[in-house]
Amino acid sequence: MRRKIVAGNWKMNGSKDLSEKLVGYVRGEAGSLDNGVEVVIIPPALYVGDVLAQARGAVSVGVQNVGQWQSGAYTGEISPEMAKDAGCHYVLVGHSERRQLFGETDELVAEKVSLVIASGLTAIVCVGETLAERDSGEAESVVADQVRKGLVAVEQAEDAGKAWKRIVVAYEPVWAIGTGKTATAEDAQAMHASIRSVLKDMGAPAEEISLLYGGSVKADNAAALFSEPDIDGGLIGGASLVAEDFVSICRYVPAST
Ligand code: PEP
């Protein structure tokens, strides 16, 4: 059975105060979520300790990015081993903002994924097409290419069965991130089904890999998206900064049957 996950990506937002209040609230509500959803909060790395202190095991924690090295003279970087040491379970890799603003390539994504899974953490690998790529009918091929290239190290891992267990894929159309525009549930489902078939072609246990949708998910569109058979939860940006909205979104994940 696939894990249902709702992860909140705070991006470069938040504070000690938000870490205390929002995470405290989410922890309090997490106990009443009876749909089996795993709630993950991904704050800026500086606040991981504050978030973990409030999460107390009821909420999982991740980081938004890591460097492609485990240690050394790389000023400003953090490594997957450090994220693990701090108590994180998840690492976002290849978010479109990293790709667009920091020049991250699929090859760099693959290097990071390889280190993340070697550390025993789970990589949430983000893929998604731009509006121009969607308009020109290339969305599925662009996303398939990102999946194949970004996960090549998993496909080739010595113990690929174990490595695939540490992968979650987040489909986030670039044009939907932070714009208020969301893919229709049908379009998102079609892309998720396509990603699952690419994973199958790569030899992955595709039916067991959680696929999250991200891109302006809000309390009023989450139910439709999460009811699709290949959408196993969401990666939430803006709405994850408002405690009540984030918890409402978590409640819209249907209980597994
Ligand atoms: C994101 O940053 O991953 C995201 C999906 O943002 P938003 O929900 O604000 O579109």
Side-chain angles (χ1 to χ4, degrees):
M1 199 171 57
R2 295 197 286 270
R3 272 181 295 171
K4 302 280 185 167
I5 299 168
V6 172
N9 171 19
W10 287 6
K11 312 194 189 199
M12 202 172 78
N13 297 298
S15 59
K16 284 177 87 72
D17 192 54
L18 190 84
S19 304
E20 193 178 315
K21 293 189 180 134
L22 186 145
V23 184
Y25 176 83
V26 175
R27 183 192 70 236
E29 296 294 305
S32 68
L33 294 172
D34 53 6
N35 51 4
V37 66
E38 179 177 357
V39 182
V40 183
I41 291 187
I42 309 178
L46 271 180
Y47 298 124
V48 156
D50 299 285
V51 169
L52 276 161
Q54 284 297 326
R56 297 182 209 163
V59 175
S60 303
V61 181
V63 290
Q64 298 173 12
N65 180 44
V66 287
Q68 63 271 39
W69 314 275
Q70 288 293 24
S71 66
Y74 304 105
T75 302
E77 294 292 288
I78 59 167
S79 70
E81 287 292 350
M82 290 171 183
K84 185 181 179 190
D85 190 36
C88 293
H89 287 101
Y90 289 91
V91 180
L92 274 189
V93 185
H95 189 281
S96 69
E97 287 151 16
R98 300 287 327 162
R99 293 178 189 258
Q100 294 201 315
L101 304 173
F102 301 94
E104 289 201 2
T105 59
D106 289 324
E107 290 67 32
L108 186 57
V109 169
E111 281 184 56
K112 292 183 177 188
V113 167
S114 176
L115 280 189
V116 169
I117 61 176
S119 301
L121 299 178
T122 296
I124 302 179
V125 184
C126 304
V127 295
E129 80 287 357
T130 63
L131 189 56
E133 289 162 343
R134 174 152 288 265
D135 287 346
S136 61
E138 294 170 292
E140 280 198 9
S141 64
V142 165
V143 169
D145 209 43
Q146 291 172 343
V147 171
R148 283 198 200 93
K149 290 182 175 159
L151 298 179
V152 67
V154 188
E155 186 181 17
Q156 294 171 358
E158 212 165 289
D159 190 347
K162 197 164 158 197
W164 284 116
K165 284 194 171 56
R166 296 183 179 150
I167 296 296
V168 169
V169 178
Y171 168 56
E172 299 203 301
V174 178
W175 48 269
I177 296 181
T179 59
K181 294 184 193 146
T182 318
T184 63
E186 295 72 28
D187 285 349
Q189 163 58 26
M191 186 63 86
H192 281 227
S194 162
I195 292 170
R196 211 178 289 291
S197 94
V198 173
L199 291 170
K200 199 168 166 206
D201 283 353
M202 294 175 78
E207 292 303 322
E208 288 160 37
I209 296 179
S210 303
L211 304 183
L212 313 185
Y213 171 80
S216 297
V217 177
K218 305 267 183 285
D220 60 7
N221 57 26
L225 288 158
F226 296 167
S227 65
E228 294 292 341
D230 285 293
I231 300 182
D232 306 308
L235 180 55
I236 320 299
S240 73
L241 294 165
V242 181
E244 294 80 0
D245 292 358
F246 185 56
V247 170
S248 301
I249 291 170
C250 295
R251 290 196 193 286
Y252 282 118
V253 172
S256 304
T257 45

